[in-house]
Amino acid sequence: MDNKAEVREFLASRRAKLTPADVGIPDIGQRRVPGLRRGEVATLAGVSIEYYAKLERGAIAGASASVLEAIAQALRLDDTERAHLFDLARAADGIPASGRPRRRATKQSASRPSLHWALEAITDGVAFVRNPHQDLLATNALGRIFYSPLIGDGGRTPNLARFQFLDPASRDFYPDWDLFAHMCVSIMRAEAGRDPHDRCLQELVGELSTQSETFRQLWGSHDVRTHGTGTKRFHHPDVGELTLAYEELAITAEPGLVLILYTAEPGTASADKLRLLASLAADQPIPHPAATPNQP
């Protein structure tokens, strides 16, 4: 991924989203393109027009934290967008995100038995481990039956992004497909900013860009987000529609991996359906970590 192009397109796309009214300045003169002018952003950030234009051309290497913070405030970046801007600047300086050495490959990292024991101990919610490439590396019993449309009969490691954009079954599984698609790409964009040298992620982006026009358009929007917490709707082939709350937790022993939990609000129809799925999952054997179809 070309860092200068990433910086240029990200800053330009954020500027295009703002209007003078958004930032409390007069709207003077005719605008050839939507959004703020470079000069307006420069004034808001307290830098020269020439310097901001240089930054927006992608020459962000060496920019100080105070300048980046001023640009983030001028463009009204949210926390995730601000972090993405700083990640792009670190990459331009040749510094890996968070100052640590680049992450080692995580494909094999979810095979520790203790992690699988922890997953299997969670019985009332869907629990799974995901890496930065959207691979579904390990699940609990309820997760295996919940994600059966994605996991299928095993073989290739299940991948949430491939399922989203390349498998027609995802449109039935995700009632809010467009929302899920935007979330998926925005999370991948943030990951790409944190580690622009991640070859596996680059290859996945290339594959999806080639095969999905929707992915290509969403990738070009340069939106970023973290997963964090919220609610999602699903339509499972065995129990119908469920609304589940999710929480994302970092696995500190394996940087880059996250544990995601889906639970239902007690006393709701979704909770009843999740219990029904759990009863179906209870009859399934627990796969050994080395033999589970969730492993590459």
Side-chain angles (χ1 to χ4, degrees):
M1 297 179 185
D2 184 338
N3 179 262
K4 285 191 174 183
E6 292 293 315
V7 173
R8 180 175 65 248
E9 293 168 15
F10 177 67
L11 290 177
S13 68
R14 298 313 94 178
R15 179 166 59 85
K17 287 179 175 288
L18 294 174
T19 66
D22 292 332
V23 296
I25 61 175
D27 188 358
I28 301 174
Q30 185 175 2
R31 295 175 187 270
R32 293 180 297 171
V33 295
L36 297 180
R37 300 183 177 97
R38 289 192 183 91
E40 291 168 336
V41 176
T43 299
L44 290 168
V47 299
S48 70
I49 296 176
E50 293 77 11
Y51 185 62
Y52 178 74
K54 174 185 174 182
L55 293 179
E56 197 173 288
R57 287 195 298 270
I60 201 171
S64 68
S66 60
V67 166
L68 295 174
E69 189 62 53
I71 297 298
Q73 293 182 15
L75 292 173
R76 302 298 194 265
L77 302 186
D78 63 25
D79 290 344
T80 303
E81 291 170 327
R82 175 188 173 278
H84 186 61
L85 176 62
F86 275 73
D87 285 340
L88 291 174
R90 292 187 189 99
D93 289 334
I95 302 172
S98 76
R100 294 194 303 263
R102 290 181 188 131
R103 289 189 297 247
R104 66 184 186 275
T106 56
K107 275 193 171 184
Q108 304 287 345
S109 301
S111 60
R112 288 182 291 112
S114 60
L115 180 55
H116 286 262
W117 300 337
L119 286 171
E120 296 300 343
I122 300 170
T123 57
D124 294 332
V126 174
F128 63 93
V129 174
R130 172 181 65 74
N131 67 9
H133 316 134
Q134 301 295 308
D135 291 326
L136 197 67
L137 295 180
T139 68
N140 65 350
L142 181 51
R144 286 190 290 278
I145 197 165
F146 179 78
Y147 273 115
S148 57
L150 165 62
I151 295 172
D153 296 326
R156 188 177 190 179
T157 302
N159 183 276
L160 292 161
R162 288 192 183 96
F163 178 69
Q164 175 77 51
F165 292 99
L166 304 183
D167 192 332
S170 69
R171 292 189 176 270
D172 294 325
F173 191 62
Y174 301 137
D176 303 310
W177 191 91
D178 290 339
L179 174 63
F180 273 52
H182 185 262
M183 289 176 64
C184 180
V185 176
S186 298
I187 291 168
M188 291 174 65
R189 261 287 178 199
E191 291 288 359
R194 279 188 282 272
D195 191 354
H197 304 285
D198 187 327
R199 179 67 63 83
C200 290
L201 185 56
Q202 291 177 10
E203 291 175 351
L204 178 61
V205 169
E207 175 188 346
L208 296 176
S209 296
T210 301
Q211 299 186 45
S212 170
E213 174 65 24
T214 301
F215 179 88
R216 187 161 56 250
Q217 292 176 354
L218 289 172
W219 188 256
S221 71
H222 287 265
D223 291 337
V224 292
R225 67 165 289 155
T226 52
H227 200 226
T229 184
T231 59
K232 292 181 179 179
R233 290 196 307 145
F234 301 90
H235 188 276
H236 195 276
D238 292 328
V239 297
E241 187 168 308
L242 307 93
T243 298
L244 302 178
Y246 64 87
E247 296 284 343
E248 180 178 282
L249 309 172
I251 300 178
T252 56
E254 301 288 352
L257 297 191
V258 294
L259 170 64
I260 299 176
L261 298 171
Y262 285 110
T263 56
E265 181 180 352
T268 64
S270 292
D272 294 338
K273 293 175 181 180
L274 205 56
R275 277 194 297 272
L276 176 56
L277 278 178
S279 68
L280 298 175
D283 297 330
Q284 296 184 346
I286 298 175
H288 187 278
T292 177
N294 294 9
Q295 299 301 311

